Amino acid sequence: MTKKYKEIVAIGDIHGRKQWQNIVKNATGKKIVFLGDYVDPYDTIEADELIDNLKEIIEFKKQNPDRVVLLLGNHDMHYLYEDFTKGTRYDMTLADEITQVFNENRDLFQFAYQEGDTVFTHAGISSDWFREDFKGDKTRDIAEQLNNPTADQLRAMFQVGISRWGKDRNGGIFWADKSETAHNPLYGIHQVVGHSQVEHVTRVDINKDTSITFCDCLKNGEVGLTRFYT
């Protein structure tokens, strides 16, 4: 019997960029996962244009509720949670408006997404963090645990590791650096992440059951593409 497959397109950090629009036009029928960081652009973008781009992504999700997944990144979380570490380019002049847009559509966003043995998060999951800080259970659905954290687990998710100039030994799923996740992966799952900039989509294979694909290269027009065979 011929195997059938479906494809998931993973769109890396947006930061106000509009390349996503052409990408989704060419992804008819495919599931699309946005890996977060919708605001705080590197380049100069007019405030109205930045907010409109965020709203257009939200509207795209509303029009395709079952096909589009919106994950949150560290540059989104610092507008949603007062005790979340403020990242670079946090925009105090737009903070109230950005926070309002996120809060009004909070139910459309999530922390993680899982398809089979592949987990999508903004920055990735290191083994030490999942085991020691988050105190997760590898026998259960990973994304379900991340999307429904206890208060202590949520605090662990906010952690900033020393590799990102934080005070914690391990970074959480919004702050973990490539150096943490690639060298200390959560074994037994394949991960797809943004956050750590790469020139091209880069997959690091640890073993046949463990890999991590870095997709923060939207500036170059690249996205991650994962196939699931059924």
Side-chain angles (χ1 to χ4, degrees):
M1 182 180 294
T2 303
K3 286 186 176 181
K4 296 180 180 180
Y5 66 86
K6 62 179 178 179
E7 295 179 323
I8 294 182
V9 175
I11 300 179
D13 305 26
I14 298 293
H15 292 301
R17 302 183 184 102
K18 293 189 174 182
Q19 288 100 318
W20 68 271
Q21 296 175 343
N22 288 329
I23 290 167
V24 301
K25 285 179 182 177
N26 295 319
T28 305
K30 296 181 176 68
K31 198 171 193 79
I32 298 169
V33 178
F34 287 82
L35 296 172
D37 278 8
Y38 305 95
V39 291
D40 297 349
Y42 289 94
D43 304 316
T44 300
I45 297 177
E46 293 296 326
D48 289 347
E49 186 178 350
L50 181 72
I51 298 296
D52 285 346
N53 193 49
L54 173 59
K55 290 180 177 179
E56 287 169 7
I57 292 171
I58 290 171
E59 183 60 30
F60 179 58
K61 163 69 174 177
K62 290 179 178 178
Q63 293 176 0
N64 302 273
D66 297 324
R67 191 165 70 90
V68 176
V69 176
L70 301 182
L71 301 185
L72 290 165
N74 59 304
H75 284 274
D76 313 311
M77 293 290 287
H78 63 192
Y79 293 106
L80 281 166
Y81 294 88
E82 291 184 359
D83 55 345
F84 192 89
T85 299
K86 299 265 187 309
T88 55
R89 302 186 310 284
Y90 177 85
D91 194 333
M92 293 185 64
T93 62
L94 287 178
D96 287 346
E97 188 171 2
I98 292 172
T99 299
Q100 181 178 349
V101 172
F102 276 125
N103 280 332
E104 288 177 349
N105 298 280
R106 183 63 185 85
D107 61 325
L108 300 180
F109 292 87
Q110 57 197 78
F111 297 144
Y113 176 72
Q114 184 164 353
E115 184 87 26
D117 59 359
T118 299
V119 179
F120 299 75
T121 63
H122 175 64
I125 310 165
S126 71
S127 180
D128 286 351
W129 174 82
F130 187 78
R131 183 182 67 255
E132 299 172 8
D133 302 311
F134 185 73
K135 295 180 172 54
D137 181 353
K138 280 187 64 177
T139 67
R140 295 171 48 213
D141 186 281
I142 304 297
E144 182 180 0
Q145 295 175 69
L146 294 173
N147 284 323
N148 299 281
T150 65
D152 287 342
Q153 287 176 319
L154 184 62
R155 282 193 289 271
M157 291 164 71
F158 288 4
Q159 287 182 187
V160 186
I162 55 176
S163 58
R164 287 277 175 159
W165 306 283
K167 298 180 180 179
D168 301 296
R169 189 167 73 87
N170 304 306
I173 63 168
F174 304 108
W175 279 108
D177 188 72
K178 182 180 180 182
S179 61
E180 299 177 72
T181 53
H183 294 96
N184 182 28
L186 187 61
Y187 286 90
I189 66 168
H190 300 284
Q191 297 191 57
V192 180
V193 306
H195 186 62
S196 292
Q197 292 187 47
V198 288
E199 285 299 312
H200 306 285
V201 173
T202 303
R203 174 169 168 145
V204 178
D205 287 296
I206 311 301
N207 58 41
K208 66 181 181 67
D209 300 317
T210 308
S211 70
I212 182 162
T213 302
F214 298 93
C215 301
D216 184 8
C217 49
L218 183 61
K219 65 179 180 180
N220 297 327
E222 290 193 31
V223 296
L225 183 63
T226 304
R227 284 184 172 182
F228 295 88
Y229 290 90
T230 57

